[in-house]
Amino acid sequence: MRELVPELDGLPVGVLHVDLTGHIQALNACLADWLGMDATQARGQAVDQVLSPAGRVMYHTHLVPTVRQRGRLQELTLGIQGRQGSLHVLASAALRGEAQAPWVQLVLSPMRERLRVEAALLRVQRAADSAPQALFEYALEADGRGHLPYASAGLLSLYGVTPLLVHSRDMPWLDHIHPDDRQGVLNARDASAQALDQWRAEFRARAEPEGPWRVHALRAQPQREPERVVWYGMVEDVTQQREVEKAAAAREAAERATRAKTEFLARVSHELRTPLNAIIGFAHLLSEQGSTLDAEQHRRLGIIESSGYQLLSLIDEVLDISRIETGRLQLSALPLLLRPLLEQVVALLEPLSRVRSIDIALDCAESLVVEGDAGRLRQVLINLLSNAVKYNRMAGRIDISVRSDDGANVIVDVRDTGVGMSAEQLDQLFQPFNRVGAEQTRVEGAGLGLVIARGLAEAMGGALDVSSTLGQGTCFNLRLHRAEGAPASVVASQVPTTEAASPSSRDRPWQVLYVEDNTVNALLMEAALAAMPSIALRSATQERPDLLLLDMQLPDTDGIGLLDRLRHEAGLQQVPAVAVSADAMPDAVDRALAQGFTAYWTKPLQLTSLPHRLEALLGGGAA
């Protein structure tokens, strides 16, 4: 038996000596440890005892014949039977010994780490090939030739080009980039090569000659090598991402425009309501207190006040449209008895219909309950019925009927016998400020009522449609959800009143502090309260007030900030405070009430209800 030299016995790889009859002559300690046997005991045994079945076939049919013919063999995979199961090794062999007694020396290296690395690389390769991106190695040679030594399978899906086509030149890839973008990609590459900064490019490309252009993004990191620059990176289709970003940018721009529009309308509303407060207020006071005025002067004051209210109505309508468009309309979905609501609207319009000798017929079941916001539904019905009166012929007729659509909805039909509309007019009917020819008549209006009515109907989950025949009349169809459960009571709007303490029971009038930076509005409040002996305006330096009226827009602060400062004054912590403002936006109202105001009064002030509202507040209520 052949002995191993000590140097071989101590190697960290397996060493095996086998004669040509297939018997083990010697093995080192490392291999013996892998096999789980004593090196001395293994001598003389058949080599097949340590080989796996596949290893035996490879040993006898390939390794031995090759070694006999060529004298050596390198890197052949063999399977051996280790103590922990089958073990793959990388074998290199050489023929040793004299011609009369040759033997084979094998050096065996375990392949566990190599197999692990190869498996990991295979997983990476599969992941790269299945990814929606293309991973690549791009090389720019010293002669200016660009090519892709490596590209994953994603190149095929992105460009319709196989990695083999671009292995030696990059033109098959560049040909699929939009002609207007191609030079920019190359310029970015050259700049990256010069500065060794990241190669970044975004461009249009397509896989098929007639296919749609897609947006691709390329990112690659450069490395300088002898005679060339090499980039490792990826390219991906970012079309959908850019479309999402574009949509998000458009949405953000629309939201900014909406916010700007809302702020503009709030500002315009404020600037218009402030002078309207004086116009309507003083016109009302002169009309009520002007005993020396003759009939014609009273009529002219009435025109001033009426015109002021028309402008106020237009402002409110514009704000309503803004709230509807921005989805900031505040609604309460309650079950409502429909017939009492219809009867209220008919009663409200009865004076106007009587002047024009128009008969109104109502057909609605007593117990019919719909879902909606009482105030807003009343607003829609008033608009529909007032239009039916205004645009009807003299001595005409209006039929209000309610029917079911055999589902979860009811339909309110408002039919008139007016002049009707053409198909072209119907197409333009719900456009803001478009009165479809009515501006040429003496009927007043701004062309906003129906736009608001449809928006309110849709906001309550319903719809508003119209049909018309020129010369015969028009029918509006208001669809509402049928509701279940007990209906909420529907009452006409009333001025809230609370019995206040009698002036005779007090030793002094109620003291009201009104903070207002607009001199005209301050004069108006002073004039309005002058007719109320139980209430007196006071200056800020006089005794403690019983009520605070604070304007919300002041030169050096706002009403909320002023209220906070007044609450820190002795004796003012519990005094009720009312915000008085020309800002009618719901957010402003909610913000003021949340900061401690008892009530929020919007300019122009309703002077007819002012005494009741003040007495309610001073008597401990809210108005």
Side-chain angles (χ1 to χ4, degrees), residues 400-444:
I400 307 169
S401 59
V402 182
R403 56 190 170 90
S404 172
D405 67 350
D406 298 326
N409 302 312
V410 296
I411 299 175
V412 181
D413 294 323
V414 180
R415 187 183 305 275
D416 64 53
T417 56
V419 296
M421 289 176 284
S422 65
E424 182 180 359
Q425 289 175 313
L426 287 176
D427 289 340
Q428 304 172 25
L429 186 60
F430 293 100
Q431 297 175 359
F433 297 104
N434 191 337
R435 299 190 63 201
V436 293
E439 67 275 7
Q440 301 173 8
T441 70
R442 300 181 61 184
V443 179
E444 295 179 347

Side-chain angles (χ1 to χ4, degrees), residues 552 560 577 579 586-601:
M552 297 300 289
I560 293 174
D587 288 349
V589 178
D590 294 341
R591 186 166 58 252
L593 296 178
Q595 293 299 319
F597 281 94
T598 307
Y600 192 101
W601 293 354

Side-chain angles (χ1 to χ4, degrees), residues 121-167:
L121 290 174
L122 182 60
R123 288 194 296 270
V124 171
Q125 180 66 47
R126 288 173 177 170
D129 289 343
S130 61
Q133 308 92 351
L135 304 182
F136 65 85
E137 175 191 1
Y138 183 96
L140 180 62
E141 305 295 341
D143 60 3
R145 178 175 60 91
H147 62 107
L148 286 81
Y150 167 78
S152 67
L155 196 71
L156 180 62
S157 60
L158 289 176
Y159 301 100
V161 174
T162 63
L164 184 61
L165 285 176
V166 295
H167 190 269

Side-chain angles (χ1 to χ4, degrees), residues 139-431:
L140 180 62
E141 305 295 341
D143 60 3
R145 178 175 60 91
H147 62 107
L148 286 81
Y150 167 78
S152 67
L155 196 71
L156 180 62
S157 60
L158 289 176
Y159 301 100
V161 174
T162 63
L164 184 61
L165 285 176
V166 295
H167 190 269
S168 59
R169 57 193 184 97
D170 57 10
M171 283 309 299
W173 167 56
L174 294 174
D175 285 343
H176 287 265
I177 297 177
H178 194 286
D180 294 343
D181 300 343
R182 192 176 302 146
Q183 190 58 48
V185 174
L186 296 176
N187 290 344
R189 178 201 66 183
D190 295 343
S192 172
Q194 183 71 24
L196 287 183
D197 290 333
Q198 189 179 51
W199 179 11
R200 301 172 64 91
E202 194 161 297
F203 50 89
R204 291 164 291 174
R206 60 187 178 188
E208 301 295 332
E210 302 300 325
W213 292 105
R214 309 283 294 177
V215 180
H216 291 182
L218 181 150
R219 304 288 184 271
Q221 196 66 35
Q223 292 184 10
R224 191 174 300 280
E225 295 183 358
E227 302 298 323
R228 68 178 190 171
V229 179
V230 178
W231 287 265
Y232 298 94
M234 62 175 289
V235 61
E236 61 181 330
D237 188 329
V238 295
T239 304
Q240 186 174 0
Q241 179 182 342
R242 294 297 177 263
E243 289 174 351
V244 171
E245 292 172 353
K246 184 178 179 181
R251 184 168 57 253
E252 183 179 350
E255 290 173 354
R256 283 198 304 269
T258 299
R259 287 194 299 270
K261 176 182 176 182
T262 300
E263 293 170 1
F264 171 76
L265 289 175
R267 186 64 181 172
V268 169
S269 171
H270 177 270
E271 295 303 321
L272 291 175
R273 284 174 180 272
T274 299
L276 274 177
N277 187 47
I279 293 170
I280 295 175
F282 279 117
H284 174 78
L285 289 177
L286 286 172
S287 179
E288 291 291 319
Q289 303 170 9
S291 57
T292 60
L293 300 178
D294 59 29
E296 179 60 20
Q297 289 171 328
H298 274 289
R299 188 184 71 83
R300 292 174 181 175
L301 282 175
I303 292 174
I304 294 174
E305 188 174 4
S306 174
S307 298
Y309 278 117
Q310 286 181 16
L311 181 56
L312 177 62
S313 176
L314 177 60
I315 295 170
D316 289 338
E317 288 179 343
V318 171
L319 291 179
D320 271 343
I321 288 179
S322 175
R323 294 180 188 120
I324 290 169
E325 289 178 347
T326 57
R328 300 173 68 183
L329 194 67
Q330 297 180 348
L331 296 173
S332 300
L334 299 173
L336 305 169
L337 276 170
L338 183 58
R339 186 177 180 90
L341 198 58
L342 289 168
E343 290 174 343
Q344 288 176 19
V345 175
V346 171
L348 182 66
L349 295 174
E350 191 272 336
L352 179 61
S353 63
R354 186 173 63 249
V355 169
R356 308 200 67 213
S357 302
I358 294 174
D359 292 330
I360 301 179
L362 173 60
D363 180 15
C364 178
E366 296 281 352
S367 59
L368 187 59
V369 181
V370 296
E371 184 181 276
D373 181 287
R376 292 301 190 175
L377 181 53
R378 184 186 293 110
Q379 182 179 350
V380 173
L381 294 172
I382 289 174
N383 181 272
L384 297 181
L385 266 70
S386 63
N387 280 349
V389 173
K390 290 189 296 184
Y391 298 105
N392 213 327
R393 58 181 172 82
M394 292 294 294
R397 179 180 176 86
I398 299 174
D399 289 296
I400 307 169
S401 59
V402 182
R403 56 190 170 90
S404 172
D405 67 350
D406 298 326
N409 302 312
V410 296
I411 299 175
V412 181
D413 294 323
V414 180
R415 187 183 305 275
D416 64 53
T417 56
V419 296
M421 289 176 284
S422 65
E424 182 180 359
Q425 289 175 313
L426 287 176
D427 289 340
Q428 304 172 25
L429 186 60
F430 293 100
Q431 297 175 359

